[in-house]
Amino acid sequence: MKIRKAIGTSLISISLLGLFGCQTNTTSSQAQQSNSSTDQPKTDPTQQTQDSQKNGNAGNGNQATQNGSSNQNSSSNQSGHSDQNTPPRTKQEALNKIAKSLKTKVPFILPKNVPLDTGKYLTATTSSQSWYYQIQLFQTNNPVNINTLAAPKGTWIATLEGTEYKDSASAEQAINGYILADTTQNSIDLGHGIKGTMDAATGHSYIIWNEGRWSIKLDSPNDPTYQNKNYPDSLKLAQKIVAYLNTHTLPAPQKIGVITIHNWQQNQETTIEWQYHEMTYKVTSSDPLKALEIATQMR
């Protein structure tokens, strides 16, 4: 009996010892796992890398993601791809945005430079179709993005247009007003070897001349009351234009180009239009010299 009792007591002790021993080991293991987890990323490293790659970033952890984003922006700026929501601060930035805004299949041309007053900024509104585009250029006191409501509130500089026709002959027919000046009658000297002719009609005075494939017509009022205050002397304006074109080259039309200058106080408009294959291009401005400055920058 004593032997059986001793054996029973030993078995109970062993069982209790095993029971409490297992609990101790389990608690210790859980504590180790808890301590170990504080040294691991809070998210799955594989998933974190995938998320980082989706954002265009390489590396692990929040700091790597931020650095990746910073590098991406820096790389983007160095490549010249500025944020589309950032207003252009230079002429070139504005011209780049204008080009990107045109949704047309026709070959469009932009001036390499646009005349602006000191301290002003270039902006524009654009419209385009597969066969046509129009660009209205404005100058503003502050940077203004392309095609925003604030853009046309600036001062209008010029309008650029391009139109595609079915063939070269149709495009040529679309250019109106070409005149071959007869310098054998009423001839006038415009300087630099250029001669023109002067004609008159009711209330109008015309000076007409040709340069290469271009026909140029200057329409001014006879009555001083209606003269353009900026260019009151039509002959001097014609000579100034000839002098400018002596050092600046207009685009070369395939067949013909026409410049029409309305030098009136209430109707100040200059149009420069030319044909090139199946395309016609047109520059319109209130100032003849600004129109010429823009057109001679277009290639």
Side-chain angles (χ1 to χ4, degrees):
M1 291 295 293
K2 291 182 179 179
I3 292 173
R4 290 178 179 177
K5 185 175 182 180
I7 293 172
T9 301
S10 299
L11 291 173
I12 292 170
S13 298
I14 291 170
S15 299
L16 291 173
L17 180 61
L19 177 62
F20 287 109
C22 288
Q23 289 177 340
T24 302
N25 290 338
T26 300
T27 303
S28 174
S29 175
Q30 291 174 345
Q32 290 176 356
Q33 291 177 358
S34 176
N35 292 335
S36 175
S37 67
T38 61
D39 297 329
Q40 299 297 322
K42 292 183 180 180
T43 58
D44 178 10
T46 303
Q47 183 63 40
Q48 191 174 47
T49 300
Q50 292 174 350
D51 292 341
S52 178
Q53 290 173 344
K54 287 179 182 178
N55 292 328
N57 307 313
N60 298 321
N62 292 334
Q63 186 62 44
T65 301
Q66 292 172 359
N67 290 339
S69 176
S70 175
N71 291 337
Q72 187 181 33
N73 290 336
S74 175
S75 172
S76 175
N77 289 336
Q78 291 174 1
S79 300
H81 300 294
S82 59
D83 184 359
Q84 287 299 310
N85 294 323
T86 303
R89 301 191 66 86
T90 67
K91 293 180 185 180
Q92 191 57 56
E93 287 178 0
L95 291 171
N96 289 343
K97 287 198 170 191
I98 290 169
K100 290 179 181 179
S101 73
L102 295 176
K103 310 300 180 185
T104 183
K105 295 181 180 179
V106 303
F108 62 85
I109 52 178
L110 297 176
K112 294 181 180 179
N113 189 31
V114 177
L116 296 179
D117 293 340
T118 303
K120 302 296 183 179
Y121 296 87
L122 178 63
T123 189
T125 59
T126 67
S127 61
S128 55
Q129 300 180 43
S130 61
W131 54 274
Y132 171 81
Y133 70 89
Q134 182 188 83
I135 304 165
Q136 302 240 28
L137 301 173
F138 301 91
Q139 66 174 16
T140 54
N141 294 327
N142 300 297
V144 172
N145 223 337
I146 308 301
N147 287 327
T148 58
L149 293 176
K153 294 181 181 179
T155 302
W156 178 65
I157 303 171
T159 299
L160 316 179
E161 297 173 85
T163 306
E164 183 181 49
Y165 292 84
K166 65 179 181 179
D167 51 38
S168 296
S170 299
E172 183 181 351
Q173 291 174 1
I175 304 293
N176 297 314
Y178 183 88
I179 302 172
L180 185 60
D182 183 5
T183 56
T184 61
Q185 298 181 1
N186 302 321
S187 178
I188 54 173
D189 185 6
L190 299 176
H192 302 279
I194 301 295
K195 291 188 178 298
T197 182
M198 182 175 284
D199 199 1
T202 305
H204 293 257
S205 174
Y206 300 104
I207 298 176
I208 302 168
W209 72 99
N210 299 97
E211 295 197 37
R213 297 172 185 168
W214 287 90
S215 167
I216 305 172
K217 178 181 178 181
L218 174 58
D219 173 15
S220 302
N222 286 329
D223 189 339
T225 305
Y226 304 107
Q227 286 178 347
N228 183 346
K229 302 300 186 289
N230 295 322
Y231 306 106
D233 190 320
S234 59
L235 179 57
K236 287 184 178 179
L237 175 59
Q239 292 170 338
K240 195 169 186 177
I241 291 171
V242 168
Y244 184 85
L245 293 178
N246 187 57
T247 56
H248 299 77
T249 305
L250 286 164
Q254 184 183 12
K255 292 289 184 67
I256 58 171
V258 173
I259 300 176
T260 304
I261 304 163
H262 294 286
N263 188 39
W264 292 60
Q265 184 60 33
Q266 299 300 322
N267 183 20
Q268 301 177 33
E269 182 180 82
T270 296
T271 59
I272 302 174
E273 192 170 14
W274 67 100
Q275 173 256 343
Y276 191 76
H277 296 294
E278 71 279 4
M279 291 292 301
T280 64
Y281 296 100
K282 187 176 183 180
V283 176
T284 305
S285 180
S286 60
D287 188 294
L289 294 181
K290 281 187 178 180
L292 288 168
E293 186 172 348
I294 292 171
T296 54
Q297 291 286 330
M298 298 175 70
R299 292 291 184 274

